[in-house]
Amino acid sequence: MRTSQLLLPTLREDPGEAETVSHRLMLRSGLIRRVAAGIYTYLPLGLRIIRKVEDIIRQEMNRAGAQELLMPVASPAELWRETGRWDFYGKELLRFKDRHERDFCLGPTHEEVITDLFRREVRSYRQLPLNFYQIQTKFRDEIRPRFGLMRGREFIMKDAYSFDADEAGARASYQKMYDAYHRIFTRCGLTFRAVEADTGLIGGSSSHEFMVLADTGEETVVYTETGTYAANVERAELLPPEEEHVEEFRPLMAVKTPNCRTVEEVTTFLKIEPNRLVKTLLYKAGDQTVAVLVRGDHDANEIKIRRILGVTEVELAGQAVVEKITGAPVGFAGPVGLTGVRVIADHAVKTARNVVVGGNQADTHYVDANWNRDFQVEQFADLRNARAGDPSPRKDGVLKATKGIEVGHVFMLGTKYSQSMNASFLDPNGKECLAVMGCYGIGVGRAAAAAVEQNHDDKGIIWPFPIAPFHVHLLPLGESSAVKETTARLYADLEAAGLEVLLDDRDERAGVKFNDADLIGAPYQVVVGEKGLAGGTVEMKTRRTGEKIKLAPADVPGTLLDLSRAFRTPTT
Amino acid sequence: MRTSQLLLPTLREDPGEAETVSHRLMLRSGLIRRVAAGIYTYLPLGLRIIRKVEDIIRQEMNRAGAQELLMPVASPAELWRETGRWDFYGKELLRFKDRHERDFCLGPTHEEVITDLFRREVRSYRQLPLNFYQIQTKFRDEIRPRFGLMRGREFIMKDAYSFDADEAGARASYQKMYDAYHRIFTRCGLTFRAVEADTGLIGGSSSHEFMVLADTGEETVVYTETGTYAANVERAELLPPEEEHVEEFRPLMAVKTPNCRTVEEVTTFLKIEPNRLVKTLLYKAGDQTVAVLVRGDHDANEIKIRRILGVTEVELAGQAVVEKITGAPVGFAGPVGLTGVRVIADHAVKTARNVVVGGNQADTHYVDANWNRDFQVEQFADLRNARAGDPSPRKDGVLKATKGIEVGHVFMLGTKYSQSMNASFLDPNGKECLAVMGCYGIGVGRAAAAAVEQNHDDKGIIWPFPIAPFHVHLLPLGESSAVKETTARLYADLEAAGLEVLLDDRDERAGVKFNDADLIGAPYQVVVGEKGLAGGTVEMKTRRTGEKIKLAPADVPGTLLDLSRAFRTPTT
C-alpha cells in the first residue's frame, strides 16, 4: 500500500492526552484517534493490527474446536435479572431504555445471552461439549477510562463460553482454552505468563489471567523461579508465617506523635522500620464497619477482605465514621481499647511483637503493643498483597515480582449461570443435569497495546512480525528514474512474495521518512537511495536491532522471507 | 465441517414469530435466533453467510480505493448537535447517558464521526479524494422491528464516506461506488436493479437504491422497459398529464352516500370507477392543516407532500381536527366550500372532470364537481405514487412496476455535513474549501435475507454459490464401511479442492437428512448410499434445479469445480 493512498497522520510531538507508552505511540503513529473518553476510532493502520490479532485468535479458537457465532451488542435486562447481575454489576454496566421503555444494557460480557441460547437449543449430552465464541465490540462504562486502548470503554473482545456435561469435562475444556491462549499469544509474538487470578464480576471457581510482561504494566504478578507458581498479586495466597516469639513482651506505652499520620511519618518520627508498625484500616462493608489490621510494610488486599467478610464491596470509611469510632482524627486509629467494631487481622500481625499502633487520640500512638495482651483480634486471615520476597504458597522458595498487562482471562464458572438460568441437558439416563460452564476472554485492542508496551524504543514501536500492520516499509529517497524503477520492482516483488509492503511515496526529506518508519515500526525497512544503487545495492534495516545490511535489490525478497520464516509459520 | 460439531438447530415447523419467507427460513435452517424484538444472534451457519457477504464487500471496496477503518458504536451527542441531527433524527436514534450523565447515541450512521475525523486530520487538496468505510454493528430503534434480519434494530452495515475537492470529484467518487455496488451484488449472486431514491434522514442532493428484486419485497420499483429510468415508487417523478377536456361540465349535485366513507364504498355505491373520485386528505404539517386532493385510484405520497410543504414530517389529521375543519365525520371531507386550510392537489386532479368529492356533511358526497368552478386549488404538484402504466418521466413509454428489497443506498451529500461541521481543506491557492461528500451503505444481514427472499422454494433456501454457508452438503446414508470410507475420502478430496463441505454425520434417517439439506440450501448435495456404491456411484444433486446425476466418487470434486467455476472467479 502507498502512504499517499492511506490516512496515516503521524505526529511529531507527544499528544497531551496520552499517559502511557502505548497510548502515546498509537496516537503518534496514526493508529487510533479519540472520539470521546475511552472511545476511539481505529484508523486504517490500527485496524490492520486489530484484524491480525483477530485472525490469529480465530484460527486457534477454531483449531480448539470452538464455534464462532455473533451475539447482539444490546442485551435485554430480563436475562441479566435472572442471574442477578442487573443489580450486582454496578455502574460499569451501561444501561439504556429503548423507545418502548424496555431496559437493555450494552453487553460487557455475554454469559446471560449464551446461556439463554444453550437452554433453548441444546437438549442432550450427545451435543456436548460445546464451546461458542465471538469477536465483538463491547462496552464497559469505566469510571476512569485511560491509557488509550488499554482501558477503554468501548473495546473489541473475543469471548468464548464452554458447556460440558460434568466437572471433568469442564476442566478439559478449560485446559483446551488455556492451551489455545498459549498458542495465540505466542503466535502474536508476545512474552507473557499465565497466572492465577481473582474471578471478580464474572464469578466462578477459579481463573487464570494471561499477562503480557512489561515494566509499564498496571498489574503485579508474583511467581517462583521454578515456575511452579504464578499469580496476580491481588490473588496470590500467602500462608501464615511461622511463629517466632523471639522478643520478650515490653510494657505498653503511649507516646506523642504530633501530626504523624501515615506509616512513613510515624516510623520516621519514631525511628523504626515499617514492619514494626501495625496499621488499623476501617472499612465500610454494607452496614457494618470493620477494623482491618495489617503490618506497616504490607498492603491490604480488598479482594481478600471482601472474601473473608462475605461481601461484594468494601470501601475505606470516611472521616466522620473514623472520628466517631476512634474518637480521634484520621491517622490515629488503633486496636487498643477499640470497641463497637469487628477486628480482623492479617496473619503477619499475629507474629509481630512489640509493635506501634494508633492511640485513638490525636497525635498519639502506642509503642510495644502486643496482640492478646493489649488488643484482641476476632480472626486472622490472609488479608494482604503478596510481594517479592514472600515465601511461595507452594513452599518452594520465595516469590519474585514483575509487572504485567492482562490480555486474556479464562474462568471455570461451574454451574453459577446454568443454575440461575436453568440451563440443563438430559444425561444418558434421561436425567436433567446442569451444564458446567467456562468462559474465556481476550482483549483484542489491549493485546495490541500491550504489544507496544513490550516492544518499543525511544524512536517508536517495534511490531512483532505476526501482528505488524506491514512487514516491510519501503523508503525511496530522491526522484531519479533508477530509484523509481527499483522501488516499483521491489514493491511488486515483495508483494508477490506474500509480504505486506508500505511504500512511502511522499515527497518528504529522508529524515522525515526515517523517523516515520521508526515510529510506525514495521519489522523491516528497505531504503532505496541513489548512492546505494550506484553500487548496485539497497539498504535493509531490522527495526528491532537497528542492524543494517546492503543487498542487491533482487536478493531482498528472499532475505526477508528467510528472516521472517519463523513468524510466518503458525506454531503447532 | 461435521454437523455433530456444529450448533445447527433446524426446525421442522414454521416458527410463529416469522412473518416473511426469509425470516421463516433463516430461523428454520438454524441461521439466527431472536434475543429481543429486532435483535438476533447469528448462529455459526448464519455468521458464515454474513462473513461471505462482508468479504465480497471488503474486496470490492478496497478495489475501488476505499480505506477500511472502524469508528465507535457509541457516538457523542456533541457531534450530532453540530449537524442538528440530535434533534432531527427522532426516536430511531437510540440515546443514552453514560455514568457521568453525558449524552451519547448508538450510531445508526456515521456522517458526524467521520466528518469530525476529516476536519481534524485532513489539511490539503493533495490528500483528496478520500473514501473511508467500515463494516460495523449499528442500531436503529425501529418502532416496529420485523421480518428477522430484514428490518432489525441491531444490524451489520457497511457504511462508506467519500470526501472530494469539488462537485465533479464527488460525482466521480459516487460513480465509483455505484459501480462497486454493481460488482458486489453481482458477485453475491443476486438479481437487482439500481433505482433513483429519496434521500430521507441522510439528506443530500440525490441518491440511488440497490434493490434485490423479489415478489415479497416491501418496496415498489417502477422502471421503463428500455432501462432509461428506474426509481423507487416513492421517489419516481410524474409529469403533469396532458389536458383532455373531453367532457362537458355537468351541474354539481349533492347525493346521499349513507355510511360510505372509503373510496371503495363510495364508488361501489355510486357505481363509478375510482378514477372518477377525488379524495380529500387532511394532513397536519407542523402548526398548519393542509388538504391534499388525490384521485381515487392514486396513492398520496407523503415524501412528495413533505417536499412541497417544506416540512420534515406530515401525518394524517386525527378525527377531532377533521370534524372541526369539515364539520362532518371522517370519510366525508371534500374541497367544495372548504375554508381555513390550504388546498393542494395532485396534477391528475387538474384534468379530472365531473368527479365525486366528499360533501363536508355526514353521509353526503357531491357528484360532478369540477376544479375552478366548484372548488379552488392553491397549487398543483406531483403528490402521488407512481404505478405501472403511468407515463415515464423520460417520455419513452410507460412504467412497469416490480417489488424489491433495498440492500444498498448511495447518496450524493454535497456539503450538507462539511458545512455544518466546517470540514474544510486548503485548495492549491491556499483557500479554505468545504469538502464535497458522498455516503454509501449496504445492509449486510439484509442482503443475506434478500438473497433468501429471491432464492428459495417450498423446501427451503437455495443459496447463491458465492454466499452459501457451505458449497456441498455431503449426506452419507447407512453405516457400512463402504459408505464410511467413501464419505471420508470425498470429504477430504472436496476440501482439498477448495470446496466448503458440510458433512451430515448424524445418525438420522435419509428423509431427515434430505429435508435438512434442502432446507439449509447448499448449492450441491452429494448422497453416498450403499445401493449406489454397489454400482460404483454416488448421487449429486443441484439444489436449484433438483437435477440428479450419478458419478464415480473420484469424479465429484472435478465436476463440482466445473459447475461452480463461474461463481468462484470474481467478476472483473
Side-chain angles (χ1 to χ4, degrees):
Chain A
M1 190 163 276
R2 292 173 159 76
T3 48
S4 61
Q5 291 164 2
L6 196 62
L7 183 69
L8 178 48
T10 53
L11 305 174
R12 271 175 221 190
E13 307 294 328
D14 281 343
E17 70 186 271
E19 299 154 90
T20 56
V21 170
S22 59
H23 190 189
R24 200 169 68 229
L25 289 176
M26 293 180 94
L27 285 169
R28 282 193 54 202
S29 60
L31 304 184
I32 57 171
R33 284 295 180 267
R34 180 184 182 278
V35 174
I39 299 178
Y40 290 85
T41 288
Y42 301 86
L43 299 187
L45 220 62
L47 187 61
R48 287 180 73 96
I49 296 154
I50 295 293
R51 294 281 186 249
K52 290 198 173 185
V53 176
E54 288 178 357
D55 283 348
I56 290 171
I57 292 172
R58 191 169 275 125
Q59 287 164 20
E60 294 299 337
M61 292 301 293
N62 291 345
R63 174 141 60 132
Q67 303 179 37
E68 187 173 6
L69 45 63
L70 185 61
M71 291 178 269
V73 172
S75 247
E78 301 91 86
L79 296 177
W80 288 71
R81 291 204 173 98
E82 284 191 57
T83 60
R85 287 209 301 176
W86 185 257
D87 297 319
F88 183 63
Y89 211 100
K91 287 196 168 179
E92 268 189 33
L93 188 66
L94 198 140
R95 295 149 214 254
F96 63 90
K97 285 179 190 294
D98 72 2
R99 66 191 294 159
H100 302 297
E101 295 291 310
R102 282 181 295 241
D103 285 317
F104 284 84
C105 64
L106 290 185
T109 169
H110 278 68
E111 284 80 4
E112 281 80 0
V113 179
I114 197 75
T115 306
D116 180 55
L117 181 74
F118 179 92
R119 70 179 167 184
R120 287 166 189 272
E121 304 298 341
V122 179
R123 305 263 171 278
S124 160
Y125 74 96
R126 282 191 211 90
Q127 296 171 267
L128 303 183
L130 282 168
N131 188 340
F132 300 111
Y133 78 98
Q134 61 178 351
I135 298 177
Q136 188 191 41
T137 295
K138 292 204 153 32
F139 204 96
R140 283 184 197 165
D141 202 2
E142 292 272 355
I143 188 160
R144 271 183 301 278
R146 58 204 155 133
F147 310 152
L149 299 192
M150 200 69 90
R151 191 171 291 281
R153 294 198 287 174
E154 184 173 322
F155 55 95
I156 299 172
M157 185 170 157
K158 187 286 297 176
D159 47 326
Y161 307 89
S162 66
F163 296 86
D164 278 274
D166 53 31
E167 272 290 321
R171 272 196 301 276
S173 292
Y174 184 90
Q175 188 63 40
K176 264 192 191 173
M177 285 295 100
Y178 186 93
D179 296 341
Y181 276 37
H182 265 274
R183 288 195 299 270
I184 288 166
F185 296 119
T186 302
R187 282 188 57 190
C188 285
L190 298 171
T191 304
F192 65 96
R193 195 183 277 274
V195 306
E196 292 181 17
D198 185 59
T199 55
L201 282 166
I202 305 290
S205 57
S206 70
S207 79
H208 282 90
E209 286 168 341
F210 285 76
M211 293 281 192
V212 167
L213 303 181
D215 295 340
T216 50
E218 272 194 285
E219 310 274 352
T220 302
V221 166
V222 291
Y223 61 97
T224 55
E225 198 75 72
T226 56
T228 53
Y229 186 75
N232 189 316
V233 71
E234 65 182 22
R235 159 76 184 187
E237 299 154 44
L238 293 169
L239 303 174
E242 305 291 321
E243 300 269 355
E244 293 181 21
H245 293 289
V246 287
E247 279 185 25
E248 293 294 305
F249 284 8
R250 290 195 291 265
L252 182 71
M253 190 166 61
V255 296
K256 280 291 154 195
T257 49
N259 285 320
C260 295
R261 287 177 174 80
T262 65
V263 171
E264 199 192 340
E265 287 164 354
V266 175
T267 55
T268 304
F269 181 79
L270 296 177
K271 299 192 174 62
I272 57 167
E273 291 300 311
N275 64 1
R276 305 307 303 249
L277 181 146
V278 166
K279 292 182 277 196
T280 302
L281 303 164
L282 291 168
Y283 278 97
K284 299 274 296 173
D287 295 338
Q288 57 175 331
T289 307
V290 180
V292 177
L293 309 186
V294 179
R295 226 169 62 185
D297 57 331
H298 290 154
D299 290 325
N301 178 314
E302 295 191 358
I303 293 170
K304 294 176 178 179
I305 294 169
R306 283 205 304 264
R307 197 174 299 133
I308 285 292
L309 298 177
V311 296
T312 57
E313 198 100 349
V314 294
E315 59 175 329
L316 281 171
Q319 182 184 339
V321 172
V322 172
E323 289 179 2
K324 180 157 173 265
I325 287 175
T326 66
V330 171
F332 301 96
V336 178
L338 191 67
T339 55
V341 293
R342 286 178 65 185
V343 179
I344 62 176
D346 179 64
H347 287 307
V349 172
K350 195 169 182 179
T351 53
R353 291 284 167 274
N354 299 320
V355 293
V356 171
V357 296
N360 294 328
Q361 195 178 326
D363 299 339
T364 305
H365 280 78
Y366 285 110
V367 299
D368 297 330
N370 283 287
W371 163 67
N372 220 0
R373 182 191 74 176
D374 306 315
F375 61 91
Q376 298 302 318
V377 168
E378 185 184 312
Q379 186 180 5
F380 287 99
D382 172 17
L383 298 180
R384 68 172 175 98
N385 284 344
R387 55 175 192 178
D390 281 331
S392 156
R394 300 278 187 277
K395 300 189 176 174
D396 57 348
V398 296
L399 297 177
K400 307 191 117 198
T402 188
K403 291 285 180 182
I405 299 159
E406 182 205 337
V407 291
H409 205 157
V410 294
F411 297 84
M412 285 276 282
L413 292 175
T415 56
K416 175 180 156 79
Y417 292 89
S418 51
Q419 186 149 40
S420 55
M421 296 185 71
N422 195 26
S424 64
F425 63 91
L426 296 179
D427 77 2
N429 305 315
K431 187 169 146 263
E432 267 201 30
C433 304
L434 293 176
V436 187
M437 293 173 58
C439 75
Y440 316 96
I442 292 180
V444 176
R446 194 189 279 186
V452 176
E453 295 286 344
Q454 192 177 70
N455 300 279
H456 68 272
D457 60 18
D458 55 0
K459 291 177 181 145
I461 306 175
I462 306 167
W463 284 108
F465 189 92
I467 61 172
F470 289 94
H471 301 137
V472 190
H473 206 146
L474 186 55
L475 306 166
L477 304 180
E479 293 286 314
S480 76
S481 61
V483 167
K484 282 191 174 168
E485 279 162 26
T486 304
T487 301
R489 202 167 47 244
L490 259 177
Y491 184 76
D493 290 350
L494 287 165
E495 292 224 313
L499 292 162
E500 298 167 14
V501 189
L502 180 61
L503 167 56
D504 189 344
D505 60 349
R506 296 175 302 169
D507 179 20
E508 288 281 7
R509 286 179 297 112
V512 171
K513 291 189 174 188
F514 291 152
N515 285 345
D516 273 356
D518 281 349
L519 176 62
I520 291 166
Y524 303 106
Q525 298 169 13
V526 175
V527 181
V528 183
E530 301 192 19
K531 264 188 240 165
L533 285 184
T537 63
V538 296
E539 188 178 82
M540 200 201 74
K541 171 174 151 182
T542 300
R543 172 70 182 89
R544 189 175 293 278
T545 59
E547 192 192 352
K548 295 172 183 174
I549 54 173
K550 291 191 190 308
L551 283 174
D555 293 338
V556 172
T559 304
L560 285 176
L561 284 179
D562 280 347
L563 284 171
S564 61
R565 184 138 292 140
F567 304 112
R568 289 180 296 110
T569 313
T571 57
T572 48
Chain B
M1 189 163 277
R2 291 172 161 77
T3 48
S4 61
Q5 291 164 1
L6 196 62
L7 182 69
L8 179 47
T10 53
L11 306 173
R12 270 173 224 193
E13 307 294 328
D14 281 344
E17 69 185 270
E19 299 154 89
T20 56
V21 170
S22 60
H23 190 188
R24 198 169 71 230
L25 289 176
M26 293 180 94
L27 286 168
R28 282 193 55 203
S29 59
L31 304 184
I32 57 171
R33 284 297 181 264
R34 180 184 183 279
V35 174
I39 299 177
Y40 290 85
T41 289
Y42 301 85
L43 299 187
L45 221 61
L47 187 59
R48 287 180 74 95
I49 295 155
I50 296 292
R51 293 281 186 247
K52 291 198 173 186
V53 176
E54 288 178 356
D55 284 347
I56 290 172
I57 292 173
R58 192 169 275 126
Q59 287 164 20
E60 293 299 338
M61 291 302 291
N62 292 345
R63 172 141 62 133
Q67 303 180 37
E68 188 173 6
L69 45 61
L70 186 60
M71 292 177 269
V73 172
S75 247
E78 301 91 86
L79 296 178
W80 288 72
R81 291 202 174 101
E82 284 191 56
T83 61
R85 289 210 299 177
W86 186 255
D87 297 319
F88 185 64
Y89 211 100
K91 286 196 166 178
E92 269 189 31
L93 186 66
L94 199 140
R95 295 147 213 256
F96 64 90
K97 286 179 189 296
D98 72 3
R99 67 193 293 161
H100 302 297
E101 294 292 310
R102 282 181 295 240
D103 285 317
F104 284 84
C105 65
L106 290 183
T109 170
H110 277 67
E111 284 79 5
E112 281 79 0
V113 179
I114 197 76
T115 306
D116 181 55
L117 181 72
F118 179 94
R119 70 180 168 184
R120 287 166 188 272
E121 305 298 341
V122 179
R123 306 264 171 277
S124 161
Y125 74 96
R126 281 192 212 89
Q127 294 171 270
L128 303 183
L130 282 168
N131 188 339
F132 301 110
Y133 77 98
Q134 60 177 351
I135 298 176
Q136 188 192 40
T137 295
K138 292 204 154 34
F139 204 97
R140 284 186 197 165
D141 201 2
E142 293 271 355
I143 189 160
R144 271 182 301 277
R146 58 206 154 133
F147 309 152
L149 299 193
M150 200 69 90
R151 191 170 290 282
R153 293 199 288 175
E154 185 174 321
F155 55 96
I156 299 172
M157 185 169 157
K158 187 284 298 174
D159 46 328
Y161 306 89
S162 66
F163 295 85
D164 277 275
D166 52 32
E167 272 289 322
R171 271 196 301 276
S173 291
Y174 184 90
Q175 188 62 41
K176 263 193 190 172
M177 285 295 100
Y178 186 94
D179 296 342
Y181 276 37
H182 264 274
R183 288 196 300 270
I184 288 165
F185 296 119
T186 302
R187 282 188 57 189
C188 285
L190 298 171
T191 303
F192 65 96
R193 195 183 277 273
V195 306
E196 293 181 16
D198 185 59
T199 55
L201 282 167
I202 304 290
S205 56
S206 71
S207 80
H208 283 89
E209 287 169 340
F210 285 76
M211 293 282 193
V212 167
L213 304 181
D215 296 339
T216 50
E218 270 195 286
E219 311 275 351
T220 302
V221 167
V222 290
Y223 61 97
T224 56
E225 198 75 71
T226 57
T228 53
Y229 186 75
N232 190 316
V233 71
E234 65 182 21
R235 158 77 184 186
E237 300 153 44
L238 293 170
L239 302 174
E242 303 292 319
E243 300 270 355
E244 293 181 20
H245 292 287
V246 287
E247 280 185 26
E248 291 294 303
F249 285 9
R250 291 193 292 264
L252 181 72
M253 189 165 62
V255 296
K256 280 289 154 196
T257 49
N259 285 319
C260 296
R261 287 177 175 81
T262 65
V263 172
E264 200 192 342
E265 287 163 355
V266 175
T267 55
T268 304
F269 181 78
L270 296 176
K271 298 192 175 63
I272 56 167
E273 293 299 310
N275 64 2
R276 304 308 302 249
L277 180 146
V278 166
K279 293 183 277 197
T280 301
L281 304 164
L282 291 168
Y283 277 97
K284 299 273 297 172
D287 294 338
Q288 57 174 331
T289 307
V290 180
V292 177
L293 311 186
V294 178
R295 226 167 63 183
D297 56 331
H298 289 155
D299 290 326
N301 178 314
E302 295 191 357
I303 292 171
K304 294 177 178 179
I305 294 169
R306 283 205 304 263
R307 198 173 299 133
I308 286 290
L309 298 177
V311 297
T312 58
E313 199 101 348
V314 293
E315 59 175 330
L316 281 171
Q319 183 184 339
V321 172
V322 172
E323 289 179 1
K324 179 156 172 267
I325 285 174
T326 66
V330 171
F332 300 96
V336 178
L338 192 67
T339 55
V341 292
R342 286 176 65 183
V343 179
I344 62 176
D346 180 64
H347 287 308
V349 173
K350 196 169 180 178
T351 53
R353 292 283 167 275
N354 299 319
V355 293
V356 171
V357 296
N360 294 328
Q361 197 178 326
D363 298 341
T364 305
H365 279 78
Y366 286 110
V367 299
D368 297 331
N370 283 286
W371 162 66
N372 218 1
R373 183 192 71 176
D374 307 315
F375 60 91
Q376 298 303 320
V377 168
E378 184 184 311
Q379 185 180 7
F380 287 98
D382 173 17
L383 298 180
R384 68 173 175 94
N385 283 345
R387 56 176 191 178
D390 282 329
S392 154
R394 300 276 187 278
K395 301 189 174 173
D396 59 345
V398 296
L399 297 177
K400 306 192 116 195
T402 187
K403 290 285 182 184
I405 299 159
E406 182 206 336
V407 292
H409 205 157
V410 294
F411 296 84
M412 285 277 281
L413 292 175
T415 56
K416 175 180 156 78
Y417 292 90
S418 51
Q419 186 150 41
S420 56
M421 297 185 72
N422 196 25
S424 63
F425 63 91
L426 296 179
D427 77 2
N429 306 315
K431 187 168 148 265
E432 267 201 31
C433 302
L434 292 176
V436 186
M437 293 174 57
C439 76
Y440 317 96
I442 292 179
V444 176
R446 192 189 280 187
V452 177
E453 296 286 344
Q454 192 177 70
N455 299 279
H456 67 272
D457 61 18
D458 56 358
K459 291 177 182 145
I461 305 175
I462 307 166
W463 284 108
F465 189 91
I467 60 172
F470 289 93
H471 301 137
V472 190
H473 207 146
L474 186 55
L475 306 166
L477 304 180
E479 293 286 312
S480 75
S481 60
V483 167
K484 282 192 173 167
E485 280 160 26
T486 304
T487 301
R489 201 166 49 243
L490 259 177
Y491 184 76
D493 290 350
L494 287 165
E495 293 224 313
L499 292 162
E500 298 167 13
V501 190
L502 179 61
L503 166 56
D504 189 344
D505 60 349
R506 297 174 303 170
D507 178 22
E508 289 282 4
R509 286 178 298 111
V512 171
K513 291 189 174 189
F514 292 153
N515 286 344
D516 273 356
D518 282 348
L519 176 61
I520 291 165
Y524 303 105
Q525 299 170 13
V526 175
V527 181
V528 183
E530 302 192 19
K531 265 189 238 165
L533 286 183
T537 62
V538 297
E539 187 177 83
M540 200 202 73
K541 172 173 152 182
T542 300
R543 172 68 182 91
R544 189 174 294 276
T545 60
E547 192 192 353
K548 295 173 184 175
I549 55 173
K550 290 190 193 308
L551 284 172
D555 294 337
V556 172
T559 303
L560 285 176
L561 284 179
D562 281 346
L563 284 171
S564 60
R565 184 137 294 142
F567 304 112
R568 288 179 298 109
T569 311
T571 57
T572 47

